[in-house]
Amino acid sequence: MKGSDLLKRLASPFTRRWHGYKDLSRKDKLAMWGDFLIRNAIYIIIAGVVIYVQIFSIRNNFYNTFLSFRSIVDIMTRAASSMFLALGVGGIIVLTGTDLSAGRILGLTAVVCASLLQLPVEVFAAKMFPDLVAPPIIIVLLLSMSIGGIFGIFNGFCTARFKLHPFIVTLATSMIVYGFVLIYVRLGTNAGGPISGITPEYRNAVMHTVDIFGTRVPIFVFYAIAAIAVMWFIWNKTTLGKNMYAVGANPEAANVSGISVMKTTVLVFMMAGMLYGFSGFVEAARVGSNSPATGFLSELDAIAACVIGGVSFTGGVGKISGIVTGVILLQVISVALQWLGISGDIQFIITGIVILLAVAIDMRKYLAKR
């Protein structure tokens, strides 16, 4: 095939679209552009903010501009720490649900991991369990994911078996889990204080850095990338993923077609719980000093990221790529506002407006389909 023929073949889809666009009336063209702007309003606004902050950083002669490699790595590092919760919550939103217990499960697993992997009492006098020898790190990780998975199974079972809305179920679970956290941090010699003094091996397993173009990248960023790959495979290449979309779109029709709504719901919630447990394992080492406040309200950021990334509360709609995009964009907004010197109070307001805008656009798409 000649080079010119190959180029024509590659360009043919764009050529057809261009000719189709030219044949539209002026009114239809305006309607098409209006629809495009509404559907992509969030991305357009965020792109505008990024360009403005980049110009702002250049004009003010900052050592690193907003779009410098170091700054981008910082955004990706922030996004990676939020990614596990968002990947878990995303699947539940596809089922037309939500999960308000994610942050509390993260907090419980974080304090458990931190308490089990503390330095010996000879080195750290405030060790929670003085006689405990730190178990292998992999055992603690599996325990953390198991705890999260058990609570996920509980949430999924109550939702599917008793036909309860996930909002109510996970709200109750969040309170139950928080009670367990408060009880746990008072065990041993801790008396409710922060749990710190984790072993260097545990911290290195999460916070060890890799040099990339002169910038240190924590290893948990690569854990997040691995989690993204695994969840993409499950969502797109397995029966569970296909069933999840079917149940989210229409549970009655899915049941009639032979799909077990109960099994699918429980498995999706269980996967989410295991991701929360993994996140707790990461956060315990990343934070270093864990308390009952660890993970508080972090599920709201996860839900917001999913909504911004196009995971629809109407059910059956959402992509892993959208979740990843949403998590990154949420961090871009946060970091950009910090670069502009906007106070934390105003940041909450702006983030809330962005979430409302995302939900409004999502509902507009849903109504347009109907």
Side-chain angles (χ1 to χ4, degrees), residues 222-242:
F222 300 99
Y223 296 163
I225 293 172
I228 291 167
V230 170
M231 294 307 293
W232 181 90
F233 179 81
I234 292 173
W235 280 34
N236 294 280
K237 300 298 181 181
T238 67
T239 302
L240 174 59
K242 295 174 184 177

Side-chain angles (χ1 to χ4, degrees), residues 90 93-97 306-307 309-318 362-363 366:
I93 296 177
V94 170
L95 291 178
T96 68
C306 291
V307 172
V311 184
S312 176
F313 276 106
T314 58
V317 177
D362 175 57
M363 290 307 300
Y366 173 70

Side-chain angles (χ1 to χ4, degrees), residues 119-146:
L119 292 164
V121 69
E122 296 82 10
V123 180
F124 185 69
K127 185 174 182 179
M128 187 170 176
F129 303 116
D131 298 327
L132 176 69
V133 178
I137 293 175
I138 187 65
I139 298 299
V140 176
L141 171 59
L142 293 175
L143 174 63
S144 180
M145 294 180 69
S146 298

Side-chain angles (χ1 to χ4, degrees), residues 312-314 357-369:
S312 176
F313 276 106
T314 58
L357 182 61
V359 174
I361 293 172
D362 175 57
M363 290 307 300
R364 185 182 182 278
K365 292 176 183 177
Y366 173 70
L367 294 173
K369 289 180 181 179

Side-chain angles (χ1 to χ4, degrees), residues 92-167:
I92 297 171
I93 296 177
V94 170
L95 291 178
T96 68
T98 189
D99 194 340
L100 299 181
S101 66
R104 290 305 188 188
I105 294 173
L106 183 159
L108 174 61
T109 54
V111 296
V112 170
C113 291
S115 67
L116 296 178
L117 292 170
Q118 286 183 297
L119 292 164
V121 69
E122 296 82 10
V123 180
F124 185 69
K127 185 174 182 179
M128 187 170 176
F129 303 116
D131 298 327
L132 176 69
V133 178
I137 293 175
I138 187 65
I139 298 299
V140 176
L141 171 59
L142 293 175
L143 174 63
S144 180
M145 294 180 69
S146 298
I147 292 172
I150 289 169
F151 281 109
I153 291 171
F154 175 79
N155 285 335
F157 177 80
C158 291
T159 297
R161 179 66 179 83
F162 304 115
K163 310 297 182 185
L164 299 174
H165 196 284
F167 180 92

